[in-house]
Amino acid sequence: MKYQVDDNGYYGAYGGAFIPEMLYPNVERLRKEYRNIIEDDGFRKEFQELLKEYVGRPTPLYFAKRLSEKYNTKIYLKREDLCHTGAHKINNTIGQILLAKRLGKKRIIAETGAGQHGVATATVCALMGIDCFVYMGEVDMERQAPNVARMKMLGAEVIPASSGSKTLKDATNEAIRDWINNPEDTHYIIGSVVGPHPYPDMVTQFQKVISEEMQQQLKEKEGIEDPNYIIACVGGGSNAAGAFYQYLENEAVTLVAVEAAGKGIDSGESAATSVLGSPGVIHGSKTLLMQTEDGQITEPYSISAGLDYPGVGPLHAHLRDSNRAKFLSATDAEAMEAGLQLCKLEGIIPAIETSHALAALDQMSFQHEDIIVINLSGRGDKDLDTYIHYFNL
Ligand SMILES: *Cc1c(COP(=O)(O)O)cnc(C)c1O
């Protein structure tokens, strides 16, 4: 139980709920009710059915033969890239929309940086016929125009956040303000294992299906449930939390979390929170975050928009401090090369976030008989422009 959230919402020294008083009733109701709701048989049945029929689960655990040959070991890819909307994020938004319905909510809000969580949220709101409002920094709306168009096509209203640096943290502030003003009818869907308790655990519970399937699939393919290594990229940490969850207490399995080093850890343009961060409060939880000496959150940088986040969820902060997970980082250049390598060796174009996890292969050494699972968090369609410019395609 060392790595489960405790009754106060903490993972070791991290977590909790540091929120404005006006948000207390909303968060408190969630805290009291979420476990009962999501563990209810009716809920689980509806959740599993949607994951199967709508998302396309179980996603394959694919043996990557040519990649394995290159590293002289056995590498499997958990194909979250094949989920509807192209990444793992939909597992969480499906869970949260079902929860919102059971809480009697009529309106959904979300914040988004790159737009991927906004699209996953707009998708499930369309599916359920619920009004959807997505806050997005003005600068991000320009940078991520195709995702803005997707959200609009799905019927969501995208509300520009025009304060501060006009990016993710400003969108988050606006979303929190909205929630304070509409406590009765609105549910706030957070997109990763971040935010005040119970969000980190709730999102983990919706993503843990990844490692549940992995156990079963490894059993079928290898006759054992345990791989030697599980590798996942970490922005806020939700795909990693889902891929690690069933193995957290099983120390025979080495968990590897890969962050974005950007232009290099010491370059001033990085998002490697586990190295550069220190304890503080961000988005309502105590965790590791990148900040100045006087506690101002610093702007992170990564070529991958989904890893461009100045913190990590409290579970991951605890996994780092306790050394349960090994934290690595990959630069923009290392990730881009690893992404291109997967295209050439396996015919799979990964999201650039995912390419960071793939880049870990070059930083580790394996035995021939090791079993490695890489969580292929998303597909690269959304990143084509970045690949085109980077490689002059
Ligand atoms: C959003 C995203 C991530 C990062 O988010 P986590 O919460 O850290 O998983 C990683 N990969 C893809 C494809 C994403 O869209």
Side-chain angles (χ1 to χ4, degrees), residues 84-342:
H84 177 46
T85 71
H88 67 288
K89 286 194 172 73
I90 189 95
N91 302 327
N92 168 47
T93 57
I94 294 265
Q96 287 204 48
I97 199 81
L98 293 178
L99 179 97
K101 272 176 50 177
R102 278 163 176 78
L103 291 169
K105 304 291 184 176
K106 304 271 179 276
R107 184 174 173 272
I108 295 294
I109 55 171
E111 91 289 330
T112 196
Q116 293 302 109
H117 173 57
V119 170
T121 302
T123 299
V124 298
C125 288
L127 179 69
M128 296 295 170
I130 295 182
D131 291 341
C132 181
F133 301 86
V134 181
Y135 289 91
M136 190 168 185
E138 252 174 17
V139 169
D140 289 335
M141 283 179 72
E142 270 167 45
R143 289 194 290 207
Q144 311 287 342
N147 275 340
V148 174
R150 284 186 184 100
M151 287 184 267
K152 288 183 178 166
M153 289 181 74
L154 293 161
E157 188 173 324
V158 183
I159 306 173
S162 49
S163 60
S165 56
K166 304 180 174 53
T167 58
L168 181 62
K169 72 172 163 39
D170 312 291
T172 304
N173 291 337
E174 299 287 332
I176 288 172
R177 196 165 304 149
D178 182 315
W179 209 20
I180 289 173
N181 290 331
N182 300 285
E184 294 296 322
D185 67 342
T186 299
H187 176 65
Y188 179 13
I189 298 190
I190 292 182
S192 189
V193 287
V194 301
H197 178 64
Y199 278 98
D201 182 54
M202 187 166 77
V203 176
T204 300
Q205 296 304 317
F206 294 142
Q207 292 292 357
K208 73 179 180 188
V209 62
I210 299 172
S211 51
E212 287 172 350
E213 289 175 5
M214 226 186 250
Q215 285 182 311
Q216 199 177 347
Q217 291 166 322
L218 280 170
K219 185 106 195 168
E220 281 162 20
K221 289 169 198 288
E222 294 286 342
I224 47 164
E225 286 187 354
D226 298 355
N228 299 88
Y229 299 90
I230 301 172
I231 306 176
C233 65
V234 172
S238 67
N239 87 86
F244 295 169
Y245 187 80
Q246 293 295 108
Y247 298 98
L248 285 173
E249 320 287 336
N250 178 353
E251 313 240 351
V253 180
T254 302
L255 308 175
V256 182
V258 188
E259 295 183 303
K263 296 190 175 160
I265 299 253
D266 301 319
S267 68
E269 293 181 80
S270 178
T273 308
S274 72
V275 187
L276 299 168
S278 53
V281 171
I282 183 172
H283 297 166
S285 76
K286 185 176 173 212
T287 188
L288 292 171
L289 62 128
M290 291 166 44
Q291 55 190 328
T292 61
E293 269 175 23
D294 42 335
Q296 294 294 320
I297 293 168
T298 52
E299 277 291 320
Y301 164 82
S302 165
I303 192 168
S304 127
L307 301 186
D308 192 351
Y309 181 74
V312 290
L315 166 63
H316 295 286
H318 181 48
L319 293 178
R320 186 206 68 163
D321 275 17
S322 60
N323 282 320
R324 173 65 191 95
K326 192 177 165 72
F327 278 77
L328 301 177
S329 64
T331 62
D332 289 357
E334 289 163 345
M336 294 303 278
E337 291 299 337
L340 191 61
Q341 172 176 270
L342 189 75

Side-chain angles (χ1 to χ4, degrees), residues 380-391:
D381 310 33
K382 67 182 179 63
D383 295 320
L384 268 196
D385 251 11
T386 312
Y387 280 123
I388 288 167
H389 285 112
Y390 190 87
F391 290 114

